[in-house]
Amino acid sequence: MKFKIYIMLLFLFCFGAACSSGGNDNKEEQQQTASSSIEVADYGQTEEGPAKLYTLKNKNGIQVEISNYGGIVTRLLLPGKDGQFDDVVLGFDKLEDYQNDHPYFGAIIGRYGNRIAKGSFTLDGQAYSLAINNEPNALHGGPTGFHKHLWQAKEIEREGAVGLELSRVSQDLEEGYPGTLNVTVRYLLNNANELLIEYEATTDKPTVVNLTNHSYFNLKGAGKGDILGHELMIVANRFTPVDSTLIPTGELRPVEGTPFDFRTPTIIGERVNADNEQIRFGGGYDHNFVLNRKGEGLELAATVYEPTTGRFMEVLTTEPGIQFYCGNFLDGSNIGKGGVPYAYRTGFCLETQHYPDSPNQPDFPSTVLRPGEKYETKTVYRFSVK
Ligand code: GLA
């Protein structure tokens, strides 16, 4: 009898333990999905329909807000070393401000990130001309580039990640570019504190494509002063020097012995005003760096550390280049979130890309996309605290 009771108790104990441990697992899973989430809200009206604002959150409280208007990253909340969250990207409070002219805050750039000399290129013997929106050159896909369109949006999930899939069809000769281009851009925020961006495109005629994201970061927090104290490292032995209109000369110049040597972490402000022709042409840093690539996959391109908050950012990409721009054209005329004017050098961009003006530079990696091929690139912004 006693023995039977012991057996029963043992059985009940084991069963209870199994249940409760299973229960715990479920709880953790639930917490994981409950705390990594995606929400959508109305964002206002555009000529192409109503815009939405999507809020992606991971289980660590990191939050990114993205609109399907221009695929714009409007907000990115990151913790600092004291646990305080700050919004680390420049942008506006209202959709209207993004519909007006602005320096591409947070937007998807297409069809061609950065400049094409004099807005013209020849492909397969056929000449194409683009709007000159940055005298005397074409910049960032033209006045009504991808940053000024409404994208179709779909919420997506992957293991440990929530995301937003944006797609649009860019018609043949939109902004002067040949071919009907089917474009998809996916933003995924995972629980390893990474924001992954996947870019894909196909065409029905030969064309050129170079997509990027134009987020301006300030790891102290947007509107909290300049970015000159950030420590930058770029995995590049060479950069592409430019002429006075910021078009690459075609040379791949070693960074060694120049203000462009960021191979070890260096404070941005240290050499940003150096007496150097390239610094003069850029008004500071506004240059493409030739990444030291080993293969085809995602590889580390750059890191940025902000010492007062401890925030650390790594940029990984499949792209051959990265544009480091330190906000030299910001002049306080853009009134940003919370009514704060964004002054000179209060944000920096690390735009992963093919080199500027590649359609006119036969020795640069090609940006030509042909029917039957798939354009596919990836970039990861990984965040932590040191
Ligand atoms: C890019 C360019 C800069 C500037 C900004 C937008 O980063 O390289 O010269 O045009 O975009 O203001």
Side-chain angles (χ1 to χ4, degrees):
M1 185 65 189
K2 244 186 185 172
F3 180 71
K4 261 192 189 164
I5 288 175
Y6 279 139
I7 296 279
M8 250 171 73
L9 282 175
L10 192 68
F11 175 77
L12 281 175
F13 175 75
C14 292
F15 183 69
C19 274
S20 78
S21 98
N24 269 341
D25 280 344
N26 277 341
K27 227 192 225 156
E28 260 169 38
E29 255 171 50
Q30 272 166 15
Q31 260 178 12
Q32 178 132 339
T33 38
S35 53
S36 107
S37 62
I38 177 158
E39 279 167 27
V40 56
D42 291 337
Y43 197 44
Q45 194 59 38
T46 77
E47 279 173 16
E48 296 169 316
K52 303 279 177 192
L53 188 68
Y54 296 81
T55 302
L56 281 51
K57 275 187 203 153
N58 78 1
K59 67 168 187 169
N60 308 315
I62 289 181
Q63 180 171 324
V64 56
E65 295 177 25
I66 304 164
S67 177
N68 62 336
Y69 178 75
I72 295 172
V73 175
T74 62
R75 206 174 282 277
L76 172 60
L77 297 179
L78 292 185
K81 61 185 170 197
D82 56 1
Q84 194 202 318
F85 278 77
D86 278 302
D87 178 6
V88 300
V89 291
L90 275 53
F92 301 114
D93 284 324
K94 293 191 309 296
L95 173 67
E96 296 87 281
D97 293 324
Y98 291 109
Q99 291 174 297
N100 294 332
D101 264 359
H102 69 94
Y104 308 90
F105 288 145
I108 296 172
I109 303 298
R111 293 187 188 189
Y112 199 94
N114 216 279
R115 292 175 177 78
I116 295 183
K118 305 211 165 57
S120 73
F121 66 96
T122 301
L123 179 57
D124 297 341
Q126 170 91 38
Y128 296 96
S129 73
L130 314 166
I132 308 296
N133 58 340
N134 187 252
E135 277 295 331
N137 304 313
L139 176 68
H140 289 333
T144 317
F146 289 2
H147 62 295
K148 286 272 158 91
H149 283 285
L150 195 68
W151 295 61
Q152 296 246 333
K154 194 168 98 185
E155 297 174 22
I156 52 174
E157 267 186 49
R158 281 199 201 150
E159 211 185 323
V162 285
L164 184 65
E165 180 175 290
L166 299 173
S167 44
R168 71 176 295 266
V169 179
S170 168
Q171 296 301 338
D172 187 22
L173 293 178
E174 183 182 278
E175 293 294 279
Y177 292 91
T180 312
L181 198 74
N182 271 283
V183 194
T184 300
V185 177
R186 284 183 215 96
Y187 286 102
L188 285 135
L189 175 68
N190 69 20
N191 288 327
N193 302 338
E194 294 172 336
L195 179 64
L196 163 67
I197 316 180
E198 296 177 343
Y199 303 87
E200 290 172 10
T202 54
T203 183
D204 64 354
K205 283 186 197 155
T207 190
V208 295
V209 192
N210 188 27
L211 307 180
T212 192
N213 174 279
H214 209 300
S215 287
Y216 286 68
F217 296 93
N218 182 334
L219 297 183
K220 283 194 281 195
K224 295 196 170 172
D226 68 46
I227 48 80
L228 298 176
H230 288 56
E231 258 175 50
L232 172 69
M233 190 276 292
I234 306 181
V235 187
N237 293 341
R238 293 172 300 171
F239 74 110
T240 51
V242 289
D243 66 15
S244 62
T245 75
L246 295 181
I247 292 295
T249 59
E251 180 192 351
L252 307 185
R253 185 179 294 175
V255 295
E256 178 123 41
T258 77
F260 297 84
D261 191 349
F262 282 99
R263 291 173 297 173
T264 54
T266 307
I267 290 168
I268 294 173
E270 209 169 283
R271 301 167 300 181
V272 71
N273 296 320
D275 181 14
N276 173 284
E277 185 186 61
Q278 283 301 309
I279 290 280
R280 264 197 306 284
F281 286 163
Y285 295 108
D286 191 355
H287 294 77
N288 172 68
F289 287 73
V290 176
L291 295 170
N292 302 345
R293 296 204 55 93
K294 295 188 193 75
E296 307 271 288
L298 277 170
E299 291 175 21
L300 186 69
T303 66
V304 189
Y305 174 62
E306 201 292 297
T308 63
T309 59
R311 293 193 181 103
F312 184 63
M313 170 171 125
E314 292 159 274
V315 186
L316 296 91
T317 188
T318 59
E319 289 279 24
I322 195 164
Q323 184 84 9
F324 169 47
Y325 167 60
C326 67
N328 310 306
F329 294 119
L330 296 175
D331 59 4
S333 59
N334 296 114
I335 309 300
K337 290 175 271 192
V340 180
Y342 292 138
Y344 190 46
R345 295 178 174 164
T346 53
F348 67 87
C349 304
L350 285 167
E351 303 152 68
T352 55
Q353 61 183 9
H354 272 55
Y355 314 161
D357 198 35
S358 297
N360 294 309
Q361 304 266 0
D363 295 336
F364 285 180
S366 172
T367 50
V368 174
L369 182 72
R370 296 185 181 280
E373 296 174 347
K374 190 168 181 188
Y375 172 94
E376 244 180 323
T377 76
K378 284 184 190 157
T379 291
V380 171
Y381 294 97
R382 182 189 290 152
F383 306 103
S384 56
V385 172
K386 284 214 291 188

